[in-house]
Amino acid sequence: MSTEVISIGALLVMFVVGTILPINLGILAFVATFAIGTVSLGLTEDEIFAGFPVDLFVTIVGVTYLFSVARRNGTIDWLVAAGVRLVRGKVALIPWVLFLVAATLTAFGTFTPAAVAILVPIAMNFAYRYRINPLVAGMMVISGGHAGAFSPLAVSGALVLGLVDDTTLHISPVTLFTASFVINLGLSLLTYVFLAKRPAPLADTAHETTDDENPAVSGRPDWRQWLTLACLLALVVGALGFRLEIGFLALVAGALLALVDMKRQEKAVDGISWSTLLLVAGMMTYIAMLEKAGIIEDISHHAAGLGAPLVVALVLCFTVAITSAFASSTAILTAIIPLAVPLLLSSHLSAAGLIAALAVSTTIVDTSPFSTNGALVLSNARGIDTRRFYRQIIGYTGGIVALGPVVAWGALVLPWS
């Protein structure tokens, strides 16, 4: 039996077991990584651990810790109340405000995970306080981030345009940006229409809080809340303006705030979502091992050699969508566009259409709990049954993986080819 079959088969078994039984999928992934890496692929332990997502680990720990501190001193509640006043009490508009803010941040150069890391904790607290479906709030932040992610000023947009410029092909920056914005806007609209009224998977203790954890919200912040707001502003400036690592900045800010309010912040570390960290770290280590062994690249090459250009284009869209649900979208984009160039040069396919479809298919699935964005939504949700919410995110992402590539292919490739 080939290593590819064993690796993909193990992945499917992990999903089935981790979904049906009460065991963290990350534990199964670590076990499979060690077993397959050493027995089938002949990798050393150092080579296996090289795939551990250190950046993502620090980001999730830092962001969830900082916002746990901010929640305990009442700053988050104050921000939520201020946000509701801003939309004149129309709570239904909050997800759309979050969508537009995320799109604006990424369109002007913010790396998508950084924008999501800043906005998702606030979105989840809005959802908790005003009974908004947390799936809708979180997914609309992610879609907003992707809606602006392919502007010429954005990281992903500059990456794709730069890869294409290195070839004889040409793609309009307006086409790439418009395609991503429209499809993500449509996804947000469908998410809002079909899921906004759906009840959230509340935990038994939902909306049960103590005075120590949630001080009363007053009209004006106290000195602790002013200091927290200053730290949050510094976090935004450092991450967006100076490209500093958001996880480390969040840990510094959280530690500072805990030191000046030690009695209330004694248990702030409990707000770190350790189960989500285990889940994401295990799965990403497993996928990184497959990438190191060349299995992901082999699958992409097999998909590219299937025959008719239109069919190959659709298969490529599905391939990047499935792979990107577990791996870095940036890495997938970097790998797949050079693979698509020979296909475009030897066929009648539209270069702008296929490149845009691949870009959308790669990023639209970042709602997955195994990606940075989806993991941030899962780890910051409040008052919910985490296991049921995880299943909702998996189901939502599964629907996108199944339909997103078809929509991107049908809208961007088929009409212009």
Side-chain angles (χ1 to χ4, degrees), residues 6 28-42 48 286 289:
I6 293 174
L28 299 176
F30 276 124
V31 172
T33 301
F34 179 77
I36 295 175
T38 55
V39 176
S40 296
L41 299 177
I48 290 173
Y286 183 77
M289 178 195 67

Side-chain angles (χ1 to χ4, degrees), residues 91-247:
V91 177
L93 294 178
I94 289 173
W96 290 107
V97 172
L98 293 168
F99 174 91
L100 291 174
V101 172
T104 302
L105 287 175
T106 54
F108 283 94
T110 307
F111 195 36
T112 306
V116 172
I118 291 167
L119 293 175
V120 158
I122 296 173
M124 293 295 99
N125 280 280
F126 269 119
Y128 175 76
R129 175 55 66 92
Y130 292 100
R131 302 295 182 94
I132 299 170
N133 188 327
L135 185 66
V136 173
M139 296 303 113
M140 287 184 67
V141 169
I142 295 174
S143 293
H146 291 146
F150 288 98
S151 83
L153 301 178
V155 176
S156 297
L159 170 66
V160 171
L161 293 172
L163 288 171
V164 174
D165 285 343
D166 290 336
T167 71
T168 57
L169 302 173
H170 174 73
I171 177 173
S172 166
V174 175
T175 300
L176 182 64
F177 174 68
T178 303
S180 178
F181 190 92
V182 171
I183 290 179
N184 279 283
L185 178 61
L187 174 61
S188 291
L189 183 61
L190 292 174
T191 300
Y192 188 84
V193 169
F194 289 106
L195 298 179
K197 300 298 183 181
R198 183 176 177 178
L202 297 177
D204 293 336
T205 57
H207 290 271
E208 294 180 10
T209 57
T210 65
D211 290 338
D212 286 340
E213 291 183 350
N214 287 295
V217 179
S218 60
R220 294 176 60 84
D222 61 21
W223 70 269
R224 295 180 183 85
Q225 293 164 355
W226 277 120
L227 180 59
T228 305
L229 291 171
C231 286
L232 292 176
L233 179 61
L235 177 73
V236 173
V237 172
L240 308 188
F242 296 95
R243 308 285 185 180
L244 299 177
E245 171 56 48
I246 194 170

Side-chain angles (χ1 to χ4, degrees), residues 45-138:
E45 292 182 3
D46 289 341
E47 289 173 326
I48 290 173
F49 283 119
F52 186 87
V54 177
D55 291 347
L56 178 58
F57 181 90
V58 173
T59 296
I60 294 179
V61 168
V63 169
T64 54
Y65 177 67
L66 173 59
F67 279 88
S68 174
V69 170
R71 187 164 61 242
R72 286 174 176 271
N73 67 24
T75 304
I76 293 299
D77 288 330
W78 185 86
L79 284 173
V80 169
V84 172
R85 289 195 297 270
L86 187 64
V87 297
R88 301 181 184 276
K90 297 178 181 178
V91 177
L93 294 178
I94 289 173
W96 290 107
V97 172
L98 293 168
F99 174 91
L100 291 174
V101 172
T104 302
L105 287 175
T106 54
F108 283 94
T110 307
F111 195 36
T112 306
V116 172
I118 291 167
L119 293 175
V120 158
I122 296 173
M124 293 295 99
N125 280 280
F126 269 119
Y128 175 76
R129 175 55 66 92
Y130 292 100
R131 302 295 182 94
I132 299 170
N133 188 327
L135 185 66
V136 173

